[in-house]
């Protein structure tokens, strides 16, 4: 199945550092969503973006919907240990069908 | 408000058997989605049900099937299990108002192991 290209694959940072990850596609998407998945759990929605160029924040998280509609980034500021997990981007392709990125595994050292 | 629930949490089967996984959506949601997440991989779209009907299907063989009940809960059935069917199966729900890009909320998943 199709997946979005997400980078980096993994990151190991120190508590307090800022983090940036991005997602790209060769196709245009009409929405971009960012989810976080903890081990053994389902993904939890962090931020949803619906318009090209849109910049949205949720606490320490900021995400943007690229102008070309083919990319998105997620920034996490002042990381804390509970930010550990796998972050997935996702976009709607066709009616209600979500395509997911390959994931970015984040590890935070206290 | 209760989230999406799934049962069982874990399921162990042998090759050739059938597996049935269950999902209850968030109250008020009518659309249910199923995804497969193999170990170390991203989520792959399996099926979408709305108002009791299958609306869309991912690139999976016909032995992956399901249904949605009048109370909007859903079952995923996997027949003739193969080793590579071992994965976390995630269910999501959305409000089902007819929009093309509704936000989907996920359950905790059922981990299926095929021996």
């Amino acid at each position: 199945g199709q997946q979005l290209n997400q980078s980096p694959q993994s990151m190991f940072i120190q508590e307090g550092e800022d983090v940036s990850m991005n997602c790209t596609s060769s196709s245009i998407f009409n929405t971009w969503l960012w989810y976080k998945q903890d081990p053994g759990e389902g993904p939890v929605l962090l931020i949803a973006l619906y318009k090209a160029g849109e910049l949205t924040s949720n606490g320490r998280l900021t995400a943007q919907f690229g102008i070309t509609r083919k990319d998105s980034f997620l920034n996490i500021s002042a990381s804390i240990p509970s930010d550990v997990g796998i972050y997935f981007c996702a976009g709607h392709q066709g009616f209600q069908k979500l395509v997911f990125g390959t994931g970015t595994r984040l590890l935070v050292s206290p | 408000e209760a989230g999406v629930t799934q049962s069982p949490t874990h399921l162990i089967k042998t090759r050739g058997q059938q597996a049935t996984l269950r999902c209850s959506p968030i109250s008020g949601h009518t659309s249910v989605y199923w995804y497969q997440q193999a170990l170390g991989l991203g989520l792959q779209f399996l099926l979408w049900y709305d108002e009791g009907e299958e609306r869309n299907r991912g690139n999976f063989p016909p032995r992956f099937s399901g249904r949605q009940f009048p109370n909007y809960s859903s079952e995923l059935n996997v027949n003739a299990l193969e080793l590579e069917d071992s994965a976390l199966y995630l269910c999501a729900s959305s409000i089902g108002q007819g929009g093309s890009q509704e936000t989907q909320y996920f359950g905790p998943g059922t981990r299926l192991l095929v021996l």
Side-chain angles (χ1 to χ4, degrees):
Chain A
Q2 181 183 354
Q3 286 187 310
L4 300 170
N5 298 313
Q6 195 171 338
S7 64
Q9 235 181 357
S10 61
M11 302 181 74
F12 183 43
I13 62 171
Q14 294 227 308
E15 184 177 0
E17 287 185 14
D18 296 343
V19 170
S20 185
M21 59 192 78
N22 75 300
C23 204
T24 61
S25 169
S26 56
S27 310
I28 288 175
F29 282 81
N30 292 320
T31 63
W32 284 95
L33 308 170
W34 285 93
Y35 287 88
K36 181 192 177 199
Q37 187 175 26
D38 291 328
E41 303 287 330
V44 174
L45 182 67
L46 299 174
I47 291 180
L49 303 159
Y50 297 102
K51 286 167 54 175
E54 180 180 355
L55 183 70
T56 297
S57 293
N58 178 9
R60 294 179 296 107
L61 306 176
T62 302
Q64 185 158 31
F65 191 147
I67 288 292
T68 64
R69 293 163 62 193
K70 292 183 178 180
D71 63 326
S72 176
F73 71 75
L74 174 70
N75 288 339
I76 305 173
S77 62
S79 58
I80 59 178
S82 61
D83 290 335
V84 165
I86 303 178
Y87 291 79
F88 289 100
C89 61
H92 279 97
Q93 185 180 66
F95 206 75
Q96 300 293 22
K97 179 181 169 184
L98 266 185
V99 176
F100 279 81
T102 45
T104 294
R105 185 179 297 273
L106 179 64
L107 295 172
V108 180
S109 166
Chain B
E1 178 185 285
V4 177
T5 60
Q6 291 185 245
S7 64
T9 55
H10 293 80
L11 191 58
I12 300 176
K13 294 284 185 178
T14 56
R15 268 187 307 178
Q17 284 189 313
Q18 181 201 38
T20 298
L21 290 64
R22 296 178 180 83
C23 172
S24 291
I26 291 171
S27 177
H29 284 191
T30 64
S31 278
V32 171
Y33 312 81
W34 288 96
Y35 292 84
Q36 182 195 65
Q37 186 178 29
L39 191 63
L41 298 179
L43 287 75
Q44 299 289 333
F45 170 76
L46 261 168
L47 290 159
W48 166 35
Y49 290 96
D50 184 63
E51 296 291 350
E53 293 191 15
E54 183 181 302
R55 301 292 188 181
N56 202 352
R57 185 181 181 86
N59 295 326
F60 283 85
R63 57 191 186 82
F64 287 84
S65 65
R67 53 180 173 166
Q68 186 178 33
F69 300 99
N71 67 353
Y72 304 113
S73 67
S74 176
E75 267 182 8
L76 173 69
N77 295 297
V78 188
N79 294 320
L81 285 166
E82 300 177 3
L83 296 178
E84 50 266 34
D85 296 333
S86 295
L88 181 67
Y89 288 84
L90 292 159
C91 172
S93 73
S94 72
I95 199 160
Q97 284 182 333
S100 62
Q101 294 148 16
E102 295 178 349
T103 300
Q104 298 177 21
Y105 299 89
F106 285 82
T110 292
R111 188 164 294 283
L112 172 65
L113 178 61
V114 182
L115 301 174

